């Protein structure tokens, strides 16, 4: 080429242009494979994050299944005992009725129980209205009589209680497989709902307990238009019916697309599905991939443009200085990039300085936002009280501290009476305002003390009183009950025509052998005793 062009000065621009092309080619030779590798790495990273998210959802589903099985196993154990003793219990119906009443009152997870003879006549039951009812023509009676295993019914309206119910039944056979009796227990769906609420600890997670034909037995968060309704042709129902366990990305029963992991319960015709909203879960991952790819290509384009317009002898040195200055900013050794003395580099220097300024500002904003998010994670969004997670953490800490100091730990649990009827008559917005009013009263009553007031779930609240005995807990509960009576929130569907609450109080001096769950169970038992005693009262656990 030199020989052909000789010393012609007109060839100089061509040589300079050719050099730029070669530099650009060399840059592309390095940049393009790196770009491809980076994009593949981003795609792989996204897939890993999505897989990790799906595994988390699957673990949530397994945990939820174990929690529900723990609740259902109580019903199965009680049913097994009843079925084995059914013919002997029927020999003394009066004693049998008393025993089933105690069983329904004392065993969590069971609303009631009954025993029918071989003719299908209910001769022993927890509820007097059930006595004498003939269930021989019911499909579930025939199914139970035909098998030795447990039969679980679909959800149906009970002729005795008038409410949606689910039965577990088991038959007792004699010699020659002669039918002796059929025992049944009524599953407490509210208990299963509380278990579901306890397992949905992550923000945005929904839990569905699904029966035959897509009947939603339990859902958390609760939605009246979903719970106790059937969705036989829903994509989630079809997915659950097709396999014992798995993970799918389908719309939920509320119409929002979610990543669902589901688990079956073996011989029982129910499955549990745990889902997290797809947009909230995968959206940040996709946004990060897109922003990273865009930033990478913008930086690459800027670099190629600089390589095209700059000559090697006047570009390499400024680029080296610029690189060192930017690296110093990146390591935190400097807060800005000094002028390189090249007019063409001034926009790039300004851009880096602006980026450094914005990054510093963004970091400050992120620290502030993280503080706010941490506060939100500890607070119930509706009432402004501490949420369930905050209560659990504080409860564990206070239990350990009280055990070490040998001081009592008192728990006050309250539940707004007839709250579903309140929502039905006055609407959910007024229901939310009523819960906020109760929360304000609890906060006012606890003002100036170290007591922790938290929303336990739904219309239930708890007050944790460290160092206080049961008398202090009862006095606190009576103060709140009196304040609630004074403000007289209107409740057209309540017997007293105003909003009331039932209170359960329990206290214990923690020991190494004790369990925090026992204190919660004691307060819960006292609360339900207050409800059974007529509501709007305070009961202390004995």
């Amino acid at each position: 080429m030199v020989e052909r062009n000789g010393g012609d000065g007109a060839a100089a621009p061509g040589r300079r242009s050719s050099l730029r092309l070669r530099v650009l080619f060399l840059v592309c030779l390095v940049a393009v494979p790196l770009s491809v590798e980076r994009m593949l790495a981003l795609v792989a990273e996204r897939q890993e994050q999505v897989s990790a998210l799906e595994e988390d959802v699957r673990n949530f589903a397994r945990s939820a299944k174990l929690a529900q099985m723990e609740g259902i196993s109580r019903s199965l154990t009680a049913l097994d005992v009843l079925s084995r003793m059914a013919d002997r219990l029927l020999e003394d119906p009066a004693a049998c009725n008393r025993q089933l009443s105690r069983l329904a009152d004392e065993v969590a997870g069971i609303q009631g129980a009954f025993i029918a003879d071989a003719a299908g006549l209910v001769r022993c039951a927890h509820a007097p209205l059930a006595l004498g009812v003939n269930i021989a023509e019911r499909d579930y009676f025939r199914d139970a009589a035909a098998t030795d295993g447990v039969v679980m019914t679909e959800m149906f309206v009970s002729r005795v209680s008038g409410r949606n119910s689910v039965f577990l039944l088991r038959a007792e056979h004699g010699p020659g497989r002669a039918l002796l009796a059929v025992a049944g227990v009524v599953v407490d769906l509210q208990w299963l709902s509380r278990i579901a609420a306890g397992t949905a600890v992550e923000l945005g997670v929904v839990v569905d307990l699904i029966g035959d034909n897509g009947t939603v037995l339990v859902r958390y968060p609760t939605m009246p238009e979903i719970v106790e309704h059937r969705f036989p042709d829903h994509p989630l129902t079809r997915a659950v019916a097709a396999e014992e366990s798995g993970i799918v990305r389908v719309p939920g029963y509320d119409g929002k697309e979610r990543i669902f992991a589901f688990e079956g319960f073996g011989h029982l015709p129910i499955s549990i599905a745990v889902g997290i909203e797809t947009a909230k879960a995968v959206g940040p991952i996709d946004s990060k991939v897109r922003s990273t790819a865009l930033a990478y290509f913008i930086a690459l384009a800027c670099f190629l443009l600089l390589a095209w317009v700059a000559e090697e002898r006047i570009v390499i040195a400024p680029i080296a200085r610029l690189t060192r200055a930017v690296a110093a900013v990146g390591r935190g050794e400097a807060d800005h990039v000094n002028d390189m003395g090249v007019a063409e580099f001034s926009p790039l220097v300004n851009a880096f300085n602006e980026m450094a300024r914005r990054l510093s500002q963004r970091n400050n904003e992120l620290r502030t936002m993280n503080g706010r998010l941490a506060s939100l994670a500890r607070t119930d969004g509706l009432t402004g009280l501490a949420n369930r997670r905050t209560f659990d953490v504080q409860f564990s800490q206070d239990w350990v501290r009280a055990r070490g100091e040998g001081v009592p730990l008192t728990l006050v649990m309250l539940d707004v009476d007839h709250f579903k009827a309140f929502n039905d008559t006055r609407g959910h917005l007024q229901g939310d305002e009523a819960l906020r009013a109760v929360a304000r009263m609890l906060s006012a009553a606890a003002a100036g003390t170290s007591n922790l007031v938290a929303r336990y779930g739904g219309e239930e609240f708890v007050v944790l009183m460290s160092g206080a005995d049961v008398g202090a807990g009862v006095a606190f509960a009576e103060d709140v009950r009196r304040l609630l009576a004074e403000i007289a929130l209107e409740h057209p569907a309540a017997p007293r025509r105003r909003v009331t609450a039932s209170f359960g109080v329990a206290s214990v001096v923690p020991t190494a052998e004790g369990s925090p769950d026992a204190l919660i169970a004691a307060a819960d038992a006292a609360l339900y005793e207050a409800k059974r005693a007529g509501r709007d009262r305070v009961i202390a656990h004995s």
Side-chain angles (χ1 to χ4, degrees), residues 222-457:
T222 301
M223 296 184 69
E225 64 270 25
I226 293 178
V227 178
E228 300 182 359
H229 288 75
R230 285 184 172 87
F231 303 89
D233 297 323
H234 195 277
L236 179 56
T237 302
R238 292 197 297 268
V240 169
E243 297 182 45
E244 178 69 13
S245 64
I247 188 163
V248 292
R249 187 179 298 185
V250 296
Y253 294 119
D254 57 358
K256 296 181 180 179
E257 182 174 307
R258 289 185 170 89
I259 298 175
F260 281 97
F262 58 89
E263 294 279 340
F265 284 70
H267 61 283
L268 294 178
I270 54 175
S271 299
I272 192 163
V274 175
I276 184 170
E277 195 168 336
T278 304
K280 294 181 179 178
V282 183
I285 299 175
D286 291 337
S287 178
K288 179 182 177 182
V289 171
R290 287 193 298 269
S291 61
T292 303
L294 180 61
Y296 183 86
F297 280 116
I298 290 176
L300 178 62
C302 292
F303 181 70
L304 293 176
L305 180 61
L306 289 174
W308 176 260
V309 301
E311 291 184 359
E312 185 175 358
R313 287 179 298 179
I314 63 173
V315 170
I316 294 300
I319 286 181
R321 294 198 302 271
L322 180 62
T323 302
R324 290 192 294 270
V326 172
V329 173
R331 293 191 300 269
E333 299 172 358
D335 58 359
H336 68 282
V337 179
N338 294 323
D339 193 303
M340 295 292 104
V342 179
E344 290 78 5
F345 282 3
S346 294
L348 187 58
V349 172
N350 293 335
F352 277 124
N353 286 333
E354 179 65 17
M355 184 184 301
R357 185 187 65 79
R358 291 186 179 182
L359 285 176
S360 177
Q361 180 181 356
R362 185 63 56 84
N363 287 337
N364 292 333
E365 293 174 355
L366 286 176
R367 281 191 289 270
T368 302
M369 186 175 296
N370 285 338
R372 293 176 180 173
L373 289 176
S375 176
L376 289 175
R378 297 190 297 267
T379 305
D380 176 59
L382 176 64
T383 62
L385 299 177
N387 59 18
R388 175 67 178 275
R389 173 180 289 182
T390 302
F391 166 75
D392 289 340
V393 173
Q394 187 68 42
F395 189 27
S396 298
Q397 294 174 350
D398 285 2
W399 180 274
V400 174
R401 183 166 54 252
R403 184 178 63 189
E405 297 176 357
V407 298
L409 193 63
T410 297
L411 190 65
V412 178
M413 183 174 290
L414 69 119
D415 184 272
V416 180
D417 297 328
H418 306 290
F419 190 69
K420 183 179 183 303
F422 186 92
N423 280 335
D424 292 342
T425 55
R426 301 198 61 185
H428 288 276
L429 291 178
Q430 290 297 321
D432 291 346
E433 184 57 38
L435 292 180
R436 283 191 284 266
V438 174
R440 288 193 295 270
M441 282 188 300
L442 287 170
S443 297
T449 70
S450 61
N451 300 339
L452 173 68
V453 181
R455 186 183 181 191
Y456 197 69

Side-chain angles (χ1 to χ4, degrees), residues 82 96-104 113-115 124-126:
L82 285 180
C96 179
N97 291 335
R98 290 193 299 271
Q99 184 166 344
L100 294 192
S101 296
R102 287 196 303 270
L103 183 70
F114 63 89
I115 300 176
C124 177
H126 74 287

